[in-house]
Amino acid sequence: MTHSLYSKFILGYLVFGLLGFVFIATFSSRMTRDYLIQSRANTLYDEACLIASSYSTMYQGQPQDLSDASPQLRAVAQFLGAEVMVVNRQGTIIVDSTGGSRVHTVIDNFDPTAIGNRSYSIGRYNSLFAEDVLSVSAPITGNYNTYGYVLIHLPMSQVKDAQNGVLNILYITSFLIFVLSSIILLVFTKTVYLPLRKITVGANEYAAGNLDYRIAVHTHDEMGYLANTLNYMSDELNKMEEYQKNFIANVSHDFRSPLTSIKGYLEAILDGTIPPEMYGKYLSRVISETERLHKLTESMLTLNSLDNRGYLSRSNFDINRVIKDTAASFEGTCDNKNIVFDLTFSDNIQMVYADLGKIQQVLYNLIDNAIKFSHHDSTIYIQANSRYEKIFISVKDTGIGIPKDSLKKIWERFYKTDLSRGKDKRGTGLGLSIVKEIIQAHGENIDVVSTEGVGTEFIFSLPRSTNL
């Protein structure tokens, strides 16, 4: 059987209240009683000492008329709520505060030293009282002699009444604190429990595949942050799911076209539709379509490797030399269209710290695109300039350009503009995605400036080498 977090919190709250009551009823009750007894005993003992000091000049152990002392004893007894008496050394009561009702009464086994080092005793004082009393005694002395004792007896019922009064205050105060502490429960319910339930419902919806569900928690705290994070996660998962659908559709489309061509050409050869003297021509087309499939597969594998972190193998190299070598590899293609390169470098040697193979791939893709979308008898401008701690590389053509509404989409995988579909039917739509992934993996940026019918320029940065 599982218990919710809220029920556990309620249980803890009730246990806290119960333990608090038990603590007050036991420890606080005992401490209050001990404190009141000690406090009352000290007060009674001080009064007994004052009375004893005043009696020491009147009473010297001889039979005397002490009726003048009775009013004082009654006043003190009434003030203290106790019974006051004077006894001789043998324990015979000489004067008391009850109007003489106990005068000449002998206290059995009278021994004021029996309490030891304590200043009080609790009990019935040798059966003198019918209930427990708090008793203190002070000696009446004079000329280094002890003539008697002043005894003060306070009923323990008064101490009990005072204890109950203090405990009642503690109980009421504790109850009010317990009630006020329920505010914590309300705050917990509003700020933790209810948002957590909404988050749980949202998580269950996401697990069931409903990625459009929104968790309605808008607080500016950890719960709100968690809800926003889960909402963001659902959005990203939704985008990923949509991307996967588009990816599968694009891959299927791009694979279907060359496979259909290959199948058609081979079937035509087998059934004799294509004469033997034409085999070479159509087999070349089959090889071309096969190369297209191979290029598409390689591009997909490259993107998959780019998705894995830590794939870069950085080193220091001269970016100028890499640009020259990459441009030289397109010599045959450029001759067919009579395209020339204009290379401009700010320095003879410009060292960068990057992955040589990946940067060659970036340059190859950008130059390849520039050649594909350039007119015959045109020029492609490639520049490398140093600025502060960066090297900026630019690849610019004067070709057909990119439509304005396609500029933000060219980085998407498998995306092709309408112009590129007519110009480059064999493209995979993955080249610029690969370029951007590589540049971003280096912690750098790539931008594009293009005007339809005028040309396109790609500019990216690389970190300058620090080992110069």
Side-chain angles (χ1 to χ4, degrees), residues 168-209:
N168 288 336
I169 295 174
L170 286 176
Y171 288 141
I172 294 173
T173 304
S174 300
F175 177 76
L176 292 177
I177 293 176
F178 181 74
V179 172
L180 291 176
S181 65
S182 62
I183 296 175
I184 300 176
L185 182 62
L186 296 177
V187 172
F188 173 81
T189 302
K190 183 174 179 59
T191 61
V192 178
Y193 177 67
L194 294 179
L196 191 59
R197 288 194 61 182
K198 294 180 180 179
I199 291 173
T200 302
V201 172
N204 290 330
E205 290 291 332
Y206 298 152

Side-chain angles (χ1 to χ4, degrees), residues 282-300:
Y282 286 99
L283 286 176
S284 296
R285 292 183 179 178
V286 169
I287 292 175
S288 177
E289 294 294 336
T290 304
E291 290 177 348
R292 179 181 174 187
L293 287 174
H294 176 73
K295 183 178 180 180
L296 179 61
T297 303
E298 288 295 323
S299 297
M300 292 173 61

Side-chain angles (χ1 to χ4, degrees), residues 209 211-212 237-253 413-414:
L211 298 178
D212 294 325
L237 290 175
N238 213 352
K239 292 179 183 178
M240 183 61 67
E241 184 178 10
E242 187 66 25
Y243 167 76
Q244 289 177 346
K245 293 179 181 177
N246 294 334
F247 180 83
I248 293 174
N250 289 327
V251 170
S252 300
H253 177 271
R413 299 179 181 183
F414 296 104

